[in-house]
Amino acid sequence: QVQLVESGGGLVQAGGSLRLSCAASGSIFSINTMNWYRQAPGKERELVAAIADNGRANYAEFVKGRFGISRDDAKNTVYLQMNNLNPEDTAVYYCNAAAVRFGVKVDYWGQGTQVTVSS
């Protein structure tokens, strides 16, 4: 199995920045893609950014140009750099690992970290 631990959330004013971290442990060899999701109160969980093992990154339209996803394989850690934050970015942010074990696709989730952007 894979264990994911997020950190870096907090309170920030509009226009500010935060850097989220997701540390992975366990059967990390099985991970294909690392993702950041977020969920605001009363809304569905939505994909924010994804990065594949080859480093290819994809972003939701609402964060393009503001957020950046990266990975440090030596530390088994994925980051989400969030710039120019606005109140609409307020949500719980979750780290997700898409993995394959014995040919079966499985997903692992972190506990989430709260990001609050004040106006």
Side-chain angles (χ1 to χ4, degrees), residues 12-86:
V12 65
Q13 295 184 21
S17 299
L18 285 173
R19 189 192 193 197
L20 306 183
S21 298
C22 174
S25 62
S27 301
I28 57 177
F29 64 88
S30 65
I31 298 174
N32 296 129
T33 306
M34 297 293 296
N35 312 287
W36 284 99
Y37 286 79
R38 72 185 187 186
Q39 187 169 22
K43 299 181 66 177
E44 298 292 328
R45 187 171 298 186
E46 59 186 355
L47 179 66
V48 176
I51 186 166
D53 189 57
N54 61 8
R56 182 178 300 176
N58 289 289
Y59 301 93
E61 288 294 330
F62 52 83
V63 303
K64 284 185 176 179
R66 299 190 298 124
F67 291 9
I69 188 170
S70 61
R71 60 194 299 165
D72 185 338
D73 291 336
K75 297 181 178 180
N76 296 321
T77 300
V78 175
Y79 304 94
L80 184 68
Q81 178 66 47
M82 305 185 295
N83 301 316
N84 194 26
L85 288 162
N86 59 66

